[in-house]
Amino acid sequence: MPGFSTDAILLRKIEYGDHDFIISFLTRSHGKISVIAKNAKKSVRRFTGALDLFSVNQIHCVYPKKKKDGMTILFQADLEDGLGNIRYDVLKTTYASFWVELIHFWLEEEKPQLTLYDLLFFSLDALNTGSISKEVIHLLFMIRFMALSGFEPQIESCGRCKTPLDEIEQNRVMFDFREGRIICLNCAKGESKHGRMVSKGTLKQLFWINQNEVHRVDRIKFSGLAIKEGEALLESFIPFHLGREFKSLQFLKRLRQNNEF
Ligand SMILES: [Zn+2]
C-alpha cells in the first residue's frame, strides 16, 4: 500500500461515526494533512497515544485505493511526546489552541512547511517544559508566524519618511494595520483609524525575537508593559490581516480579563 511516514503534530480531531476520527496534523514532510483514523477509539495497538490535541506522533499513512474516492488513511500513530503539561494549565492550553487554530485556518493542505513545523514544535515544547515564559513564547510564535505567512510587520523604520526606529524622536509610534508597518508621529499627523500606538522599546524587543536564533530568546527580558503592548499589537494585527476572529483568541482575552493573567 503506497503511503508515507512522518513526524506530525495534532492540530484538530473530530469524531466521525461511532468508531472513527478525522484528524488534521501539521507534518514535517507533507505540511498540513487531514486523515481518517478508522477504529481509532478501539485500536490500542495501532494508536499508542490518545491522539490528544498538540501531541507529537510518528504517523504512518496510506493512500486510499482510488485517490478521488476517499481520504488518506491514518494506519498507525506512535506517540513521541504528549506535551501533557500544557493540558494541565488552562492558560497554556489556550495559547496552544490559538496557535494550532491559526495554522489550521491559514495553511493549505499538503504544502510542506518545515520552518512552520519547527516553530510550532519549538513553541509547544517550550510551553510544555516552561523553559521560557509563556507570554514571551506567545509573542515569538505570533511574530514569526506572521513573517512565515508573508505578513511580517515592518517595524525597523517609519513607513513614510524611512527614519530608522532608533532615530525617531518620540517614544511611541503608530502601527498601521492596513500597511503592516510603523509610522512616526510626524508622518501620522493624527490619522489613527486603522492603527495602534506602540512604544519603541516594545517594537525593538519584538524585532529582536523575530530576527535572532529561537534558542536565544530566553536571554531577552520583557517588561510587563512590553508584553502587554506586544500582545495587544499582534493579537489585533493577526485577525485584521487574516480577516477572521479566532475563538481561542477571544477565549484568551476573556481569561485575562477575568483572572488578571
Ligand atoms: Zn515618518
Side-chain angles (χ1 to χ4, degrees):
M1 285 185 290
F4 59 92
S5 298
T6 180
D7 287 337
I9 300 170
L10 199 149
L11 302 178
R12 177 185 284 195
K13 181 170 80 173
I14 298 168
E15 290 197 10
Y16 187 73
D18 290 337
H19 309 290
D20 307 341
F21 289 118
I22 290 182
I23 300 178
S24 297
F25 288 105
L26 180 63
T27 68
R28 179 172 272 283
S29 64
H30 285 63
K32 185 181 86 173
I33 59 168
S34 295
V35 297
I36 184 159
K38 291 183 174 169
N39 266 320
K41 292 181 188 173
K42 284 188 187 160
S43 181
V44 186
R45 187 175 55 81
R46 283 168 51 222
F47 304 104
T48 61
L51 292 170
D52 281 324
L53 201 56
F54 325 127
S55 62
V56 185
N57 300 270
Q58 167 81 21
I59 63 170
H60 310 279
C61 297
V62 293
Y63 295 118
K65 282 192 186 115
K66 288 182 187 162
K67 208 168 180 183
K68 64 179 181 193
D69 289 353
M71 297 183 73
T72 303
I73 297 156
L74 180 66
F75 182 71
Q76 189 171 338
D78 297 313
L79 182 67
E80 291 189 336
D81 193 342
L83 300 171
N85 291 337
I86 295 176
R87 277 184 292 279
Y88 291 112
D89 180 317
V90 67
L91 190 56
K92 286 185 178 186
T93 301
T94 312
Y95 281 133
S97 299
F98 175 50
W99 305 341
V100 300
E101 191 183 351
L102 206 50
I103 287 176
H104 189 269
F105 168 74
W106 180 77
L107 265 195
E108 286 176 52
E109 296 259 326
E110 302 207 22
K111 293 254 170 78
Q113 291 276 354
L114 183 57
T115 318
L116 187 57
Y117 179 90
D118 288 342
L119 173 65
L120 182 63
F121 181 79
F122 175 83
S123 305
L124 289 172
D125 185 58
L127 195 63
N128 188 55
T129 60
S131 60
I132 298 164
S133 106
K134 46 190 178 250
E135 290 82 6
V136 172
I137 281 291
H138 181 49
L139 293 176
L140 174 122
F141 179 85
M142 288 193 291
I143 195 154
R144 286 178 179 243
F145 172 82
M146 291 311 279
L148 290 173
S149 47
F151 305 124
E152 183 162 11
Q154 299 301 309
I155 53 185
E156 302 101 287
S157 59
C158 170
R160 303 272 162 81
C161 68
K162 310 298 176 200
T163 305
L165 183 63
D166 269 335
E167 294 170 24
I168 291 174
E169 296 164 24
Q170 297 90 356
N171 281 329
R172 289 156 73 80
V173 296
M174 193 186 79
F175 184 84
D176 186 295
F177 289 143
R178 286 172 310 177
E179 299 180 27
R181 57 190 185 173
I182 58 165
I183 297 174
C184 77
L185 297 187
N186 294 340
C187 294
K189 294 196 181 73
E191 50 167 301
S192 61
K193 248 176 34 192
H194 299 283
R196 175 178 278 276
M197 296 295 292
V198 193
S199 56
K200 285 192 323 194
T202 299
L203 292 169
K204 276 188 220 169
Q205 291 190 312
L206 290 177
F207 186 71
W208 197 94
I209 58 170
N210 189 30
Q211 297 292 321
N212 282 277
E213 235 297 293
V214 283
H215 295 280
R216 294 175 64 205
V217 72
D218 59 342
R219 297 191 189 179
I220 193 159
K221 289 277 170 280
F222 274 78
S223 67
L225 173 74
I227 285 174
K228 278 209 162 59
E229 278 194 344
E231 284 173 346
L233 177 69
L234 293 169
E235 290 174 3
S236 306
F237 183 51
I238 289 174
F240 181 91
H241 240 295
L242 299 183
R244 182 182 198 264
E245 293 298 332
F246 293 89
K247 278 184 194 162
S248 45
L249 183 57
Q250 290 170 331
F251 182 70
L252 176 63
K253 289 176 180 173
R254 280 204 301 278
L255 267 185
R256 287 199 196 110
Q257 278 170 0
N258 298 338
N259 296 301
E260 297 179 358
F261 278 121

